Amino acid sequence: MFLIHGIKRIKTGKSASRQLRRISNQIPSIIYGIKKPEIYISLNHDEIFNMQKHPDFYSSKITIKIQDINYLVSIKNIQYHCFKSRLLHIDFLHL
Protein backbone atom coordinates (compact mmCIF):
# COMPACT_ATOMS: atom_id res chain seq x y z
CA MET A 1 0.00 0.00 0.00
CA PHE A 2 1.32 3.41 -0.95
CA LEU A 3 0.64 6.70 0.86
CA ILE A 4 0.66 9.96 -1.10
CA HIS A 5 0.17 13.43 0.36
CA GLY A 6 -1.89 15.76 -1.81
CA ILE A 7 -3.20 19.31 -1.79
CA LYS A 8 -6.73 20.23 -2.84
CA ARG A 9 -6.72 22.76 -5.67
CA ILE A 10 -9.34 25.27 -6.67
CA LYS A 11 -8.05 26.48 -10.03
CA THR A 12 -8.62 24.08 -12.91
CA GLY A 13 -7.98 24.25 -16.62
CA LYS A 14 -5.03 24.31 -18.96
CA SER A 15 -3.29 27.45 -17.68
CA ALA A 16 -3.63 26.48 -14.00
CA SER A 17 -2.23 23.01 -14.74
CA ARG A 18 0.71 24.45 -16.64
CA GLN A 19 1.51 26.78 -13.75
CA LEU A 20 1.46 23.88 -11.32
CA ARG A 21 3.89 21.89 -13.44
CA ARG A 22 6.22 24.76 -14.25
CA ILE A 23 6.41 26.77 -11.04
CA SER A 24 5.87 24.37 -8.17
CA ASN A 25 6.86 20.94 -9.61
CA GLN A 26 3.37 19.56 -8.96
CA ILE A 27 1.20 17.17 -10.97
CA PRO A 28 -2.46 18.09 -11.49
CA SER A 29 -4.64 15.11 -10.63
CA ILE A 30 -8.26 14.18 -10.12
CA ILE A 31 -10.07 11.65 -7.96
CA TYR A 32 -13.44 10.53 -9.29
CA GLY A 33 -15.84 7.68 -8.75
CA ILE A 34 -19.36 6.47 -9.27
CA LYS A 35 -21.85 8.70 -7.43
CA LYS A 36 -19.01 10.60 -5.74
CA PRO A 37 -17.97 14.20 -6.38
CA GLU A 38 -14.77 14.92 -8.27
CA ILE A 39 -11.80 16.11 -6.19
CA TYR A 40 -9.13 18.15 -7.95
CA ILE A 41 -5.72 17.75 -6.31
CA SER A 42 -2.06 18.40 -6.92
CA LEU A 43 0.72 15.96 -6.04
CA ASN A 44 4.49 16.26 -5.74
CA HIS A 45 6.03 15.15 -9.05
CA ASP A 46 9.25 13.73 -7.62
CA GLU A 47 7.43 11.68 -4.98
CA ILE A 48 5.16 10.05 -7.58
CA PHE A 49 7.95 9.63 -10.14
CA ASN A 50 10.04 7.67 -7.64
CA MET A 51 7.06 5.58 -6.48
CA GLN A 52 6.22 4.49 -10.01
CA LYS A 53 9.53 2.63 -10.23
CA HIS A 54 8.15 0.11 -7.73
CA PRO A 55 6.70 -2.88 -9.64
CA ASP A 56 3.41 -2.95 -7.69
CA PHE A 57 2.62 0.76 -8.01
CA TYR A 58 0.17 0.51 -10.92
CA SER A 59 -1.79 -2.48 -9.63
CA SER A 60 -1.98 -1.75 -5.90
CA LYS A 61 -4.40 0.35 -3.89
CA ILE A 62 -3.12 3.80 -2.98
CA THR A 63 -4.06 6.01 -0.05
CA ILE A 64 -4.11 9.73 -0.78
CA LYS A 65 -4.11 11.98 2.28
CA ILE A 66 -5.62 15.44 1.85
CA GLN A 67 -6.12 17.65 4.90
CA ASP A 68 -6.44 14.73 7.38
CA ILE A 69 -8.87 12.84 5.11
CA ASN A 70 -7.74 9.57 3.54
CA TYR A 71 -9.02 8.44 0.14
CA LEU A 72 -8.51 4.86 -1.03
CA VAL A 73 -7.92 4.96 -4.78
CA SER A 74 -6.47 3.06 -7.71
CA ILE A 75 -4.75 4.50 -10.78
CA LYS A 76 -7.03 4.81 -13.78
CA ASN A 77 -4.86 6.75 -16.24
CA ILE A 78 -1.43 8.43 -16.34
CA GLN A 79 -0.32 10.94 -18.97
CA TYR A 80 3.39 11.29 -19.73
CA HIS A 81 5.32 13.94 -21.62
CA CYS A 82 6.12 12.70 -25.13
CA PHE A 83 9.92 12.92 -24.89
CA LYS A 84 10.82 14.15 -21.39
CA SER A 85 10.73 11.87 -18.38
CA ARG A 86 7.88 13.81 -16.74
CA LEU A 87 4.39 12.99 -15.61
CA LEU A 88 1.69 15.37 -16.81
CA HIS A 89 -1.55 14.19 -15.22
CA ILE A 90 -2.94 11.29 -13.15
CA ASP A 91 -6.54 10.08 -12.89
CA PHE A 92 -7.48 8.15 -9.75
CA LEU A 93 -10.59 6.03 -9.31
CA HIS A 94 -12.18 6.31 -5.85
CA LEU A 95 -12.77 2.85 -4.34
Side-chain angles (χ1 to χ4, degrees):
M1 176 96 60
F2 294 94
L3 175 66
I4 301 173
H5 296 279
I7 301 169
K8 200 172 219 181
R9 61 186 175 107
I10 297 169
K11 292 184 180 180
T12 60
K14 190 184 289 188
S15 64
S17 295
R18 285 181 178 171
Q19 283 182 340
L20 273 176
R21 290 185 203 108
R22 193 175 332 130
I23 296 171
S24 58
N25 197 30
Q26 299 282 318
I27 303 170
S29 301
I30 186 170
I31 301 173
Y32 58 86
I34 299 171
K35 297 182 182 177
K36 295 184 181 178
E38 299 170 341
I39 303 167
Y40 296 98
I41 59 173
S42 62
L43 306 170
N44 185 328
H45 179 272
D46 296 335
E47 180 182 359
I48 304 297
F49 193 77
N50 291 331
M51 278 186 191
Q52 75 170 350
K53 295 176 184 175
H54 195 277
D56 296 333
F57 180 70
Y58 296 106
S59 61
S60 67
K61 296 177 181 174
I62 300 170
T63 303
I64 297 180
K65 186 173 185 170
I66 304 168
Q67 298 173 352
D68 299 331
I69 300 173
N70 292 335
Y71 298 95
L72 187 61
V73 298
S74 65
I75 295 176
K76 186 69 174 172
N77 188 17
I78 297 181
Q79 295 176 0
Y80 297 94
H81 193 277
C82 58
F83 60 88
K84 294 180 183 177
S85 59
R86 292 211 34 100
L87 301 170
L88 295 179
H89 185 83
I90 302 177
D91 291 348
F92 294 102
L93 183 62
H94 198 283
L95 300 177

